[in-house]
Amino acid sequence: MSQPVQDLELVSVTKRYGKTVAVDAINHHFRPSSYTCLLGPSGCGKSSTLRMIAGHESVSEGAINLAGRDISHLPPAKRGTAMMFQSYALFPHLSVIDNVAFSLKMKGVDTRERRAKAAEMLELVDLTAMAERLPDQLSGGQQQRVALARALITRPQVLLLDEPLSALDPFLRIRMRGELRKLQRELGISFVHVTHGQDEALALADEVVVMNNAVIEQAGPARDVFNAPRTRFVAQFMGGHNVVALPEGHFAIRTDAVGVGAPGNGVEANVTGIEYQGTHVSVLARIAGDQELTALVPENEFYSNPHTPGDRVGLIWDAKNLHKLTA
Ligand code: ADP
Ligand code: MG
């Protein structure tokens, strides 16, 4: 089911609810055929942004362009987008195949044709064997795939997903995210996926768009955003970084770029906590100015020279790994 490749663009898009500015004049060009994650803390405006793209929420100001035309005033079904909902909202009294075919029924497509199309979608999400079951006869992961098939049957150019994995247990969440990524590659359409989990965004996204307080703080390829956070907020929210205030300004440094040595080396510090994390051990240590830093030390390295809280140590890093923050 290949679709023409289409660009989605937000032009100074604003959403207001009364006096609340939920989304403040954001601009973004979503690369065609890519997997984008909108990432940010609760309340930063992710769902509002997604719902405006979908047409489930009106745009207060600005334009949403898909394939060069402004879709911001079109009804949801006419936009070329489809939304997969956080709560799967499957119809409990309809079989899996009829759930998937539902939007075609609304469009007046006849029974044979819509069942044939729905069967195709069920094959895509590997649920052919479950076609005649009712939703409550499926596992959470299977219900998720029905919801996906139901969104994809409209053949959208852009699939919108709002925290699609949040209801799943951790094991299933990781499996399902692999399936989403694979499906996006197979279909070649754009996925825009809202999440507040930085690990989920890094695992899935070609491009990560980090939102905070109704604006986009930083956008770019996942590795760029992780390795070169521009602001303190992005460094802290993406995790894996220390933010340090040095006489020259504020810097971010990856926790795995900080080493723990004997006192007298590097920067004097006191160990305040140790956390075993499996492949690594997280060493928390306090330096002058009451700043607490984390050094992520490979497990073997740590246990060949272990530390305990209260130890005096030297924190060592290479100045080239310090990354200057702009705010
Ligand atoms: P996120 O998805 O990032 O958690 P939302 O887009 O849901 O954020 O919300 C952004 C802001 O807009 C929040 O302050 C939220 O309380 C507010 N908001 C969201 N929906 C509505 C609504 N229907 N009416 C009023 N305020 C809303
Ligand atoms: Mg939300």
Side-chain angles (χ1 to χ4, degrees), residues 170-200:
F171 178 76
L172 207 52
R173 193 179 304 154
I174 288 169
R175 208 181 77 191
M176 194 63 206
R177 83 180 181 207
E179 288 182 22
L180 284 176
R181 183 67 238 217
K182 181 162 159 275
L183 200 56
Q184 186 274 328
R185 285 214 181 91
E186 279 169 15
L187 295 170
I189 63 173
S190 296
F191 280 29
V192 180
H193 174 136
V194 161
T195 177
H196 60 262
Q198 55 83 29
D199 54 338
E200 191 168 303

Side-chain angles (χ1 to χ4, degrees), residues 226-238:
F226 183 73
N227 282 304
R230 269 207 293 269
T231 63
R232 166 191 281 266
F233 172 82
V234 175
Q236 285 170 339
F237 195 77
M238 294 309 289

Side-chain angles (χ1 to χ4, degrees), residues 126-194:
D126 205 18
L127 277 183
T128 303
M130 311 280 160
E132 300 305 332
R133 290 206 191 173
L134 292 172
D136 70 3
Q137 296 168 322
L138 301 180
S139 70
Q142 289 165 339
Q143 288 178 17
Q144 187 88 4
R145 276 151 47 203
V146 177
L148 254 179
R150 199 170 62 163
L152 289 169
I153 200 166
T154 62
R155 311 229 159 192
Q157 293 156 20
V158 180
L159 182 68
L160 307 165
L161 310 103
D162 194 348
E163 311 242 2
L165 307 178
S166 60
L168 304 176
D169 65 58
F171 178 76
L172 207 52
R173 193 179 304 154
I174 288 169
R175 208 181 77 191
M176 194 63 206
R177 83 180 181 207
E179 288 182 22
L180 284 176
R181 183 67 238 217
K182 181 162 159 275
L183 200 56
Q184 186 274 328
R185 285 214 181 91
E186 279 169 15
L187 295 170
I189 63 173
S190 296
F191 280 29
V192 180
H193 174 136
V194 161

